[in-house]
Amino acid sequence: MGSLPAYDTLPTPHDPPLTAIVIGAGLGGCAAAIALHHHGHRVLCVLDKVRVFGRLGDSLGLGQNAFDLLEKWGCDVEEIKRIGNQAPNMTIRRWHDGKPLATQPLMDMAGYIGHRGDYHDVFLSWVRNRGIDIRMGSEVVAFEDTYPQPSITLKSGDILHADIIVAADGIKSLARPLVLGSKDDPKSSGYACYRAFFKPTAAQRADDFLNKYMRDGDCVNFWIGPDLHLVQNTLRGGEEFNWIITHKDDGDVPESWFQEGDMNEVRRLVQTLDPEIRGIVTATEHCLDWKICYREPLCTWVSPISHRIVLLGDSCHAHLPTSAQGASQAVESAGVLAVCLNQIEDRSEVRVATKAYEKLRFPRTRASQTNGEDLRDRWHGALKGEGERQIDPESVKIRNRWLYAFDAEEDAVGRWGEVRRVVDEELKSGVVKPLC
Ligand SMILES: Cc1cc2nc3c(=O)[nH]c(=O)nc-3n(C[C@H](O)[C@H](O)[C@H](O)COP(=O)(O)OP(=O)(O)OC[C@H]3O[C@@H](n4cnc5c(N)ncnc54)[C@H](O)[C@@H]3O)c2cc1C
């Protein structure tokens, strides 16, 4: 292997530096490893149970709030921007005829929409370029919430210790029941998504009935109707095509990224859809059926005894697709955790840092989550009993801009003193206020 590029890391007050293990090498886990490394902590390893990552998922958005942090940590965000959807605008349309209801810059929503697998590859390369060890096929099966160092046990039987263990292990997190002290079952959001991602065939591209949204490079469109909506976007200049239909769900689809969907059911759902997009949807051969599950907001993100096992990303703040902020909020959480660990002077105070981290992050992630719920509800309600009523374009626009001009690290440093006082008081009295 050639020599790795050098990355500047910030000074840490801890000598030797705090050690960290990150569980999960998804976008959240990669961001955590990069942020901890940037702030001078020692990342012992990033563990993932998967042996090899495939190009999993489909479209995912990253906002400016995430890019600004990644850039500060020395990541070349142009690598992401280059492979994202290049359309300047997106259009919100009426379900049955495609009439444009509102057009706004793509920046108002996702920032950059790209393939999750492609973005993930870039994140993984950033971690590896820093010399951080990513251990694939390493499944964590147990936790010991012990002081001063918690530990984890791998399926192989190996036991690993660190000053802090970051559980970025996704929506079905194994660490979450440990942190909560009980199992929290997924709660149906009442909706599910059919989603498909494919390269249209040459015949489909040549067919004027199917190709309306494959003609001029990248595009992003939404069709909204009563209690359902369809998102369409392209990638690689129109070479790849993605559609996602969010619809009412009263069935028992398992919570999975890999559940095969029923195209006959999709064809039934889109019978009333604008014919100019319906053609390519009904011509699709396969789709996935993804039940959108909620987790109730958690009362804590930190383990109860050592306070040194912390949740991050989807394990504690999963988002609806309409928020387009799941990965970006995980990046913010990574920055805040890394910063908090440098506000304490001694490693015996790690619990002060982790308790401050959850207090600093919780309100912001809730606001971002509910922003996605608000958009879904506005879209699904906009055309109910529409008749000849005019739709106010503002009422269906995406309202994500306020999330972008925010430096999560700067906010954490600015509010540190105030939050630390609360945490100190709670730890002294033993009366810890739950996050919700
Ligand atoms: C397969 C898949 C497809 C997705 N597709 C999309 C999509 O198309 N669009 C979108 O917006 N979002 C998608 N997401 C969600 C999106 O990636 C996340 O919302 C966001 O990136 C934050 O992710 P995270 O890192 O917190 O969790 P995740 O992306 O879920 O990553 C968690 C990681 O932890 C690993 N892991 C879990 N348990 C263990 C364990 N016990 N031991 C070791 N490792 C463990 C998993 O293998 C996984 O790699 C997808 C997630 C997954 C897992």
Side-chain angles (χ1 to χ4, degrees):
M1 198 168 92
S3 62
L4 294 169
Y7 289 95
D8 289 338
T9 59
L10 297 179
T12 169
H14 310 296
D15 185 17
L18 295 175
T19 54
I21 292 173
V22 179
I23 307 170
L27 295 174
C30 288
I34 298 165
L36 289 164
H37 175 266
H38 175 74
H39 285 279
H41 310 298
R42 187 160 162 246
V43 183
L44 299 178
C45 56
V46 183
L47 306 167
D48 207 291
K49 64 181 178 186
V50 169
R51 289 202 172 276
V52 182
F53 285 123
R55 194 174 179 231
L56 299 176
D58 46 62
S59 300
L60 177 137
L62 275 174
Q64 195 60 45
N65 49 329
F67 282 130
D68 289 346
L69 289 176
L70 291 163
E71 214 158 14
K72 262 209 238 182
W73 305 336
C75 304
D76 177 7
V77 297
E78 290 305 320
E79 287 183 61
I80 292 279
K81 291 183 181 175
R82 264 200 299 275
I83 56 177
N85 180 298
Q86 304 294 321
N89 293 318
M90 57 194 170
T91 302
I92 299 155
R93 301 172 178 279
R94 197 157 64 176
W95 179 262
H96 65 272
D97 59 3
K99 178 187 163 188
L101 299 172
T103 295
Q104 57 187 136
L106 192 55
M107 280 300 123
D108 285 358
M109 191 204 196
Y112 288 86
I113 297 176
H115 194 286
R116 177 189 180 271
D118 296 346
Y119 281 4
H120 192 200
D121 273 349
V122 175
F123 272 60
L124 289 166
S125 74
W126 288 337
V127 176
R128 291 195 180 107
N129 283 345
R130 282 158 178 77
I132 300 169
D133 182 18
I134 303 179
R135 297 191 198 164
M136 302 301 293
S138 299
E139 181 172 356
V140 175
V141 292
F143 295 86
E144 283 292 333
D145 187 18
T146 41
Y147 183 83
Q149 282 203 328
S151 70
I152 47 175
T153 306
L154 304 186
K155 203 171 184 180
S156 62
D158 289 351
I159 297 177
L160 307 175
H161 302 258
D163 291 321
I164 178 155
I165 293 173
V166 182
D169 55 349
I171 185 92
K172 294 184 183 173
S173 167
L174 184 71
R176 192 170 49 230
L178 164 91
V179 162
L180 293 177
S182 61
K183 196 166 174 308
D184 72 324
D185 289 322
K187 205 176 128 197
S188 168
S189 64
Y191 290 90
C193 291
Y194 289 114
R195 34 202 317 154
F197 187 89
F198 53 96
K199 278 190 181 176
T201 61
Q204 287 172 335
R205 290 190 175 284
D207 184 333
D208 282 346
F209 177 64
L210 303 180
N211 70 6
K212 164 88 191 275
Y213 293 97
M214 306 169 189
R215 289 176 199 163
D216 310 309
D218 280 334
C219 61
V220 180
N221 291 277
F222 307 88
W223 282 257
I224 64 171
D227 281 333
L228 84 177
H229 69 271
L230 180 144
V231 180
Q232 169 275 328
N233 74 275
T234 56
L235 290 177
R236 300 187 176 177
E239 207 182 292
E240 298 180 326
F241 200 88
N242 187 199
W243 58 255
I244 306 171
I245 302 174
T246 299
H247 62 98
K248 277 274 190 202
D249 164 55
D250 45 17
D252 55 357
V253 188
E255 189 187 28
S256 160
W257 287 105
F258 308 102
Q259 175 74 26
E260 182 77 18
D262 177 354
M263 274 308 301
N264 288 330
E265 181 54 19
V266 171
R267 291 182 187 112
R268 191 194 63 75
L269 267 179
V270 299
Q271 273 170 5
T272 54
L273 177 64
D274 170 14
E276 295 205 302
I277 183 70
R278 194 198 316 149
I280 187 66
V281 173
T282 55
T284 306
E285 284 179 17
H286 298 286
C287 70
L288 295 178
D289 194 347
W290 178 49
K291 189 184 187 82
I292 308 175
C293 286
Y294 278 132
R295 294 296 191 288
E296 293 288 2
L298 308 184
C299 57
T300 177
W301 297 359
V302 177
S303 65
I305 299 170
S306 72
H307 302 104
R308 285 159 182 253
I309 302 174
V310 295
L311 305 178
L312 184 143
D314 278 11
S315 64
C316 56
H317 52 68
H319 282 63
L320 290 181
T322 37
S323 75
Q325 272 282 310
S328 301
Q329 290 299 316
V331 172
E332 285 193 6
S333 289
V336 172
L337 179 62
V339 157
C340 286
L341 290 168
N342 272 347
Q343 299 299 309
I344 52 166
E345 278 164 24
D346 188 89
R347 56 198 343 107
S348 64
E349 289 185 315
V350 166
R351 63 182 191 156
V352 176
T354 56
K355 295 303 279 181
Y357 153 75
E358 63 172 16
K359 283 193 194 311
L360 286 161
R361 289 299 295 146
F362 184 80
R364 167 99 174 148
T365 54
R366 276 306 289 150
S368 163
Q369 286 172 316
T370 50
N371 200 49
E373 291 165 28
D374 167 69
L375 178 64
R376 179 201 60 196
D377 294 344
R378 282 190 288 117
W379 278 358
H380 288 189
L383 297 170
K384 280 187 183 161
E386 181 201 11
E388 287 308 303
R389 179 167 60 90
Q390 279 294 323
I391 302 290
D392 173 5
E394 294 306 318
S395 71
V396 293
K397 280 190 179 170
I398 294 163
R399 298 171 186 158
N400 270 13
R401 276 227 176 227
W402 64 273
L403 285 159
Y404 295 151
F406 180 79
D407 183 329
E409 292 186 346
E410 211 175 275
D411 175 71
V413 173
R415 292 196 292 133
W416 173 259
E418 154 214 341
V419 173
R420 161 145 212 171
R421 269 192 297 283
V422 176
V423 171
D424 280 343
E425 188 51 45
E426 286 187 356
L427 291 174
K428 198 164 130 216
S429 66
V431 184
V432 176
K433 193 163 169 249
L435 294 174
C436 58

